[in-house]
Amino acid sequence: MLLIETFIFYLLIGSGVAVAIYLRNEQTNIFDFYFQIALALFFWPLFVPVLLNKRDEYSQNGLPEDEHKPVPEDELTIAISQVEKEFEAALKGLDGWAENVLSSEQYRLEELRSAWNVQADRIRELDLLLAQPDANPDSLSQMTDNNQRVLQSEETRQENIHHLKKIRNQMHVDLLGTLAWVRELVTMIHLAKFSGAPASRAEELIAQIAAAVEGFSEVNTWKNEEQSTIA
Amino acid sequence: MKTFKEIEDLKNKQSNRVELKEVSDFREKDPEENKLAEKILTVKERPSKEDISKQYSLGINTFDLIEMILKDQSKLHNFLQIPSLQSSLLPRFLTISLIGFVLYGLVISLVLTVTGYWPTLASIETWLENPAAMLLEFNPIESSWGNFGPWINGNVVLLIFAFAFGLIATSCVCLPSLYFYSLLAGVRMSMVEVVAHAVKCKAVSSVALIGILPIYVAMAMGAVIFSNNEALISMTLFLGLFLPFIAGMWGTVSMYRAFSILAENMQEENQCKRTFFLDRLVISWSVCYTAVMPVMVHTIWENLSQFI
């Protein structure tokens, strides 16, 4: 019969699309993932454009890749990537041990990673600013022959530059402190797993790591304000 | 000594105050210009792509999407403008649509059971050969299980499947037309974007369908309890089967609004030339969908009913 033949071919194509969706695997939640595969089997014409869409054209936050600045390979980048790798390995090692908290904290964990990079960017910006010649005492104040007003301005300027240096150092200390703390928690996750601690212990540790993002909220606010001013 | 951030905050606050004062003065002057002032405010308040992505990534589940459909569709339209969110929204909208249509099928089956009538379908070929014959008519349920016969012999499952699958499959058939019409209207959309908008339109329709179902059930119950008129009951049942068309209007309106926002992003010279195509785009697609949908549902229903 024509209907049966059509339905068989429809499902055949659908299973192909479902396999492609399975291989693409973008969902974090297992139920959502398998439900999406089932949907793709029956409603494959809706999923074909998604599969054909260039995946690399856009990054996770929906903005084209070229809108992102290239990340310089400095000590901060190396430290962040090292902690990210260790953290990733710890999460993979959990094998569904603390899946509930992982799925609920997924967004905060991603936010924490982006906050590290934002903080590192701010530090680099400040380093660039402080490396400029106008950050040092210059000849203008020397030429003025003890002009009180100029000297006072120069003094305030140096005070502000000193303040900037302090901010930069504080940010650097904060970032490295958080990275070190996350590394410590990562080893505690391993320890909890192999010492037979209850799953709630791992959940607690992951929640603690995710909570670290709140310490960076101030930095994110600055960044957003800066972007809105530019826009 | 104030920090740089504090100074910046202070400056921002001052400039915001000036802007607000200007807008309030502007409003007092001429009520006719209020619309313009509101438009300026709306444009200023529109969030950036990063804000929208961040808002989405903070965790929006399917129930939140249903709430947005009911309360704040502009938020949904904002989400749909972000390319990476379109593919993740698609299965969620599809889930909402399926839930809505399955519930509709269940409720209609219940109403049919209560009235004691069940639709019998003739094939389209038969109808074309003899147009006087009815394509769909309501006959009394004849089963040893009484009115629950269709629930036992699988007719209910068939009805639910025909509507749930048919209504969404129709969107799949009409997708290329929507893509073509949107290009004609000058709205530059990717195929994924078109799919996302079409499925969002279905989700809105299904939510509206669930909304109007209680009213319909009350009406149908009224017809059954207070009147034994067969023609009236038959008309009520026909109306029940056409409810997805009525609910579809909400989806169409939602699609029109979403496309209007997209048209605002077009170049100014194109906006004048092409924006009037938007009405035609939505009407053409609605006509296309309305023509395909009954054929699709009927074909699936009629063909599968031969196996029962």
Side-chain angles (χ1 to χ4, degrees), chain A residues 74-87 109 111-121 123-124 170-188 208-209 212-213 215-216:
Chain A
D74 56 8
E75 53 167 9
L76 287 175
T77 316
I78 293 164
I80 290 170
S81 64
Q82 189 189 342
V83 176
E84 275 180 345
K85 270 181 203 163
E86 285 176 15
F87 185 45
L109 293 174
E111 214 185 329
L112 175 67
R113 287 171 187 177
S114 87
W116 286 339
N117 291 315
V118 170
Q119 183 94 322
D121 280 345
I123 293 169
R124 282 184 207 110
Q170 188 58 49
M171 287 168 88
H172 194 255
V173 167
D174 284 350
L175 178 60
L176 293 183
T178 315
L179 289 172
W181 187 53
V182 170
R183 285 187 82 193
E184 186 190 329
L185 288 172
V186 162
T187 53
M188 284 167 84
Q208 273 189 47
I209 295 174
V213 74
F216 285 106

Side-chain angles (χ1 to χ4, degrees), chain A residues 20-40:
Chain A
I21 294 280
Y22 175 78
L23 294 173
R24 199 177 154 109
N25 191 3
E26 281 181 341
Q27 292 284 339
T28 48
N29 189 322
I30 291 177
F31 176 75
D32 283 355
F33 176 57
Y34 287 108
F35 187 67
Q36 191 172 335
I37 291 171
L39 285 176

Side-chain angles (χ1 to χ4, degrees), chain A residues 84-118:
Chain A
E84 275 180 345
K85 270 181 203 163
E86 285 176 15
F87 185 45
E88 201 70 45
L91 292 184
K92 275 182 188 164
L94 286 173
D95 292 330
W97 198 39
E99 206 161 293
N100 286 340
V101 75
L102 256 184
S103 57
S104 64
E105 297 287 3
Q106 185 71 27
Y107 298 119
R108 278 218 294 177
L109 293 174
E110 277 169 22
E111 214 185 329
L112 175 67
R113 287 171 187 177
S114 87
W116 286 339
N117 291 315
V118 170

Side-chain angles (χ1 to χ4, degrees), chain B residues 120-134:
Chain B
T120 314
L121 289 92
S123 71
I124 294 176
E125 290 85 5
T126 316
W127 181 70
L128 287 172
E129 282 166 14
N130 179 22
M134 291 287 279

Side-chain angles (χ1 to χ4, degrees), chain B residues 55-110:
Chain B
Q55 198 180 3
Y56 186 82
S57 67
L58 286 174
I60 283 175
N61 57 33
T62 310
F63 292 104
D64 294 330
L65 286 179
I66 295 173
E67 202 175 321
M68 275 182 221
I69 287 173
L70 292 167
K71 292 180 185 170
D72 190 3
Q73 286 192 28
S74 60
K75 231 181 219 176
L76 277 184
H77 299 150
N78 287 337
F79 285 150
L80 285 173
Q81 283 184 45
I82 311 294
S84 66
L85 301 187
Q86 287 156 6
S87 52
S88 63
L89 281 168
L90 176 67
R92 289 176 177 203
F93 283 139
L94 208 50
T95 309
I96 296 169
S97 314
L98 272 176
I99 292 169
F101 295 139
V102 167
L103 275 174
Y104 162 76
L106 277 171
V107 172
I108 285 293
S109 300
L110 273 173

